[in-house]
Amino acid sequence: MKQISYVDGKIYIADELSQSVYIFNDSGSFLKKIGVKGQGPGEYVRLGKFQVVGNYLYIKDDASPWKLYVYDLKSSVGRLMDIDENLSYDDFYLQGDNLYLVANNNSSYSYGCYNLLKLGMATNEMDCYLPFSENLAKQHSHWGLFSNISQYKDSLLIICSNNDTIYQSTKDGTSAKYAVHFSKRELPEDLRQKDGTTIMMTAMEKRYIKGLSSILNLDGYFIAQYGDYIMRSILYDKRTDEHTVANVLKLGKWGDLYMWEYSFSDDGKLIVADSGGAFLSSWKERYSNRTFIRSEDKKDLQKIYEQTSEEDNPIIGIFTLKNIGNAETFGDIPVSTVAVFVRFIRLFLTVVLHVPVDQFRHPLRPLRVVGDQLLEHVRMLQFRQCPSGFLFLLFPKQVI
């Protein structure tokens, strides 16, 4: 699985093996698949990120720096969108009449070195934001991220590789919003100017933290992942500026069952998924021997295990979030709790989702801000120490 999304009662899953997007209803019944790998009309070479908007499915071709396809969900017919072939971007988001493109330190021949491009679909006008150094583009000082851009209501949060500033874009403009501070394990400035492969190899050798790798914008919170010797997650409360650091999301009342893929819908649903093969392996080796709060839940999951084969469709859980709390203690384990109501296959259960807090406290540093214009505002910035030892840098409202 490459991506999972839940929109208007339907589940969309990008499958890397078949290079297609599979669509299920919320009871788990297969409806159709959309997208074809190939080089003909309406076909892409490598399945990239997708987005569902109304009756259309948008898919980026990851083998091309600029190709974006749109498919009619009713007819499954797709076509290549009319976008400037000189563009180069890694991620996209369609909001209203605007198409946002995140360049991720890739320069575009037509517009130069800007990390955020906003294309007006009705006017075909392009606005450029977040300038970056031409040297970063020449040296290819970047790498692919899991997610560069995430939207909640009218707010977009944006990240780029080799830059741990989190930017916010609204109807009023685009500005730096947060920066994460990684202290002694930050990427040295001279290393940041080298090519992406050298940066990655040196970071692994010397245990530097490479920076943010994904962003998920939610109501009152965001979740950001960063690459350490393992992948870690930050749950940040935008209202209190407090946050919790964790390794993985687990289903606490289900023996700490962990599923690799998760996402959130606009109506507050949390969707978790795991492939049939991964679920079989993890259940047999770990979770079948663990204690569940309700014994009937374990029996139901055991039935799913017995009826599942490695080739089956993913095991999917759909949750409705009730509340997200700060770090608490669950037994002897510090956790961040989320009370949820879950629909798992055809089972309706009340569970608690909790996040074990990482015991390693890495001091953070305010990441450098790309572009001389932003650097001039550093003296105006406010610092706030967070309980977990992470330091977030809060930027004043400054449109750039």
Side-chain angles (χ1 to χ4, degrees):
M1 289 179 291
K2 189 168 187 176
Q3 183 184 343
I4 182 171
S5 183
Y6 182 74
V7 181
D8 295 332
K10 293 185 176 65
I11 303 162
Y12 298 80
I13 297 177
D15 179 61
E16 287 191 274
L17 185 61
S18 67
Q19 291 288 292
S20 297
V21 176
Y22 287 78
I23 306 175
F24 303 84
N25 64 22
D26 59 5
S27 296
S29 298
F30 173 71
L31 300 177
K32 64 166 64 177
K33 76 171 184 175
I34 290 182
V36 178
K37 178 181 178 179
Q39 310 222 1
E43 298 177 346
Y44 44 79
V45 176
R46 187 166 69 245
L47 177 66
K49 183 181 177 180
F50 72 82
Q51 183 187 354
V52 179
V53 182
N55 295 320
Y56 297 94
L57 173 69
Y58 296 81
I59 297 178
K60 185 186 185 304
D61 186 347
D62 266 358
S64 166
W66 63 274
K67 288 184 178 179
L68 183 65
Y69 293 85
V70 56
Y71 292 83
D72 188 305
L73 288 173
K74 295 179 180 178
S75 67
S76 301
V77 175
R79 63 175 176 83
L80 179 64
M81 294 185 63
D82 184 16
I83 295 178
D84 189 341
E85 297 183 13
N86 292 315
L87 283 174
S88 183
Y89 63 96
D90 278 3
D91 206 346
F92 76 95
Y93 197 89
L94 188 63
Q95 184 182 48
D97 292 330
N98 295 316
L99 176 62
Y100 291 86
L101 308 172
V102 182
N104 201 33
N105 292 348
N106 291 290
S107 64
S108 297
Y109 292 112
S110 300
Y111 301 99
C113 298
Y114 292 91
N115 265 325
L116 183 64
L117 307 172
K118 183 176 73 172
L119 175 63
M121 303 296 287
T123 63
N124 204 35
E125 294 181 356
M126 184 76 78
D127 294 323
C128 302
Y129 306 93
L130 310 184
F132 63 91
S133 166
E134 186 176 351
N135 181 64
L136 294 180
K138 289 180 178 179
Q139 293 291 331
H140 302 286
S141 305
H142 56 84
W143 48 88
L145 304 183
F146 294 115
S147 173
N148 291 84
I149 186 167
S150 180
Q151 176 259 350
Y152 182 78
K153 293 187 176 177
D154 62 348
S155 171
L156 293 169
L157 291 183
I158 301 140
I159 61 172
C160 300
S161 60
N162 207 4
N163 175 10
D164 293 327
T165 301
I166 301 175
Y167 299 94
Q168 178 175 260
S169 184
T170 67
K171 60 183 177 63
D172 297 323
T174 300
S175 61
K177 185 65 177 177
Y178 311 93
V180 189
H181 186 23
F182 286 111
S183 189
K184 295 180 180 179
R185 297 178 63 205
E186 70 188 24
L187 291 174
E189 186 61 33
D190 59 341
L191 179 59
R192 289 182 179 274
Q193 303 304 316
K194 299 184 182 298
D195 64 275
T197 300
T198 299
I199 295 174
M200 296 292 282
M201 296 300 291
T202 305
M204 287 189 288
E205 177 186 352
K206 298 189 176 182
R207 295 282 301 276
Y208 294 132
I209 294 177
K210 297 181 289 293
L212 300 179
S213 59
S214 73
I215 188 74
L216 187 58
N217 194 13
L218 307 171
D219 181 17
Y221 298 81
F222 69 76
I223 298 175
Q225 289 185 316
Y226 68 96
D228 200 346
Y229 58 92
I230 61 174
M231 189 63 68
R232 302 187 190 278
S233 298
I234 305 167
L235 175 66
Y236 187 95
D237 189 324
K238 293 183 283 188
R239 296 161 295 192
T240 65
D241 301 319
E242 296 179 349
H243 69 275
T244 300
V245 182
N247 292 342
V248 295
L249 296 175
K250 296 183 179 181
L251 307 182
K253 289 192 175 182
W254 284 1
D256 286 344
L257 181 64
Y258 170 52
M259 291 188 175
W260 282 96
E261 297 293 333
Y262 67 91
S263 69
F264 290 79
S265 65
D266 290 340
D267 58 353
K269 297 286 194 308
L270 165 65
I271 304 92
V272 296
D274 209 350
S275 66
F279 173 75
L280 288 175
S281 176
S282 60
W283 182 261
K284 181 180 180 179
E285 295 176 6
R286 293 187 295 275
Y287 302 116
S288 61
N289 298 318
R290 293 190 178 177
T291 301
F292 281 56
I293 300 298
R294 300 196 326 168
S295 60
E296 55 266 37
D297 297 347
K298 186 173 183 178
K299 291 178 182 178
D300 288 332
L301 287 173
Q302 179 65 33
K303 290 179 182 179
I304 293 175
Y305 169 79
E306 294 169 355
Q307 298 169 2
T308 300
S309 69
E310 291 190 2
E311 293 75 26
D312 279 348
N313 292 326
I315 309 299
I316 300 170
I318 303 175
F319 301 72
T320 299
L321 296 179
K322 298 298 184 184
N323 180 56
I324 299 181
N326 293 323
E328 300 176 3
T329 298
F330 186 83
D332 295 328
I333 305 174
V335 298
S336 178
T337 59
V338 184
V340 300
F341 182 79
V342 60
R343 182 174 188 175
F344 188 89
I345 310 303
R346 285 190 167 84
L347 307 177
F348 290 84
L349 307 168
T350 301
V351 304
V352 172
L353 175 75
H354 74 264
V355 185
V357 177
D358 176 26
Q359 298 302 310
F360 297 93
R361 300 303 188 188
H362 301 303
L364 303 181
R365 70 163 182 91
L367 291 179
R368 66 190 180 86
V369 183
V370 179
D372 292 340
Q373 181 180 5
L374 282 179
L375 288 175
E376 294 174 358
H377 298 293
V378 170
R379 293 185 301 274
M380 301 164 51
L381 304 181
Q382 230 178 351
F383 288 84
R384 184 186 298 274
Q385 181 66 46
C386 297
S388 67
F390 273 76
L391 183 65
F392 272 82
L393 184 63
L394 306 180
F395 288 86
K397 186 174 181 181
Q398 177 71 34
V399 177
I400 57 177

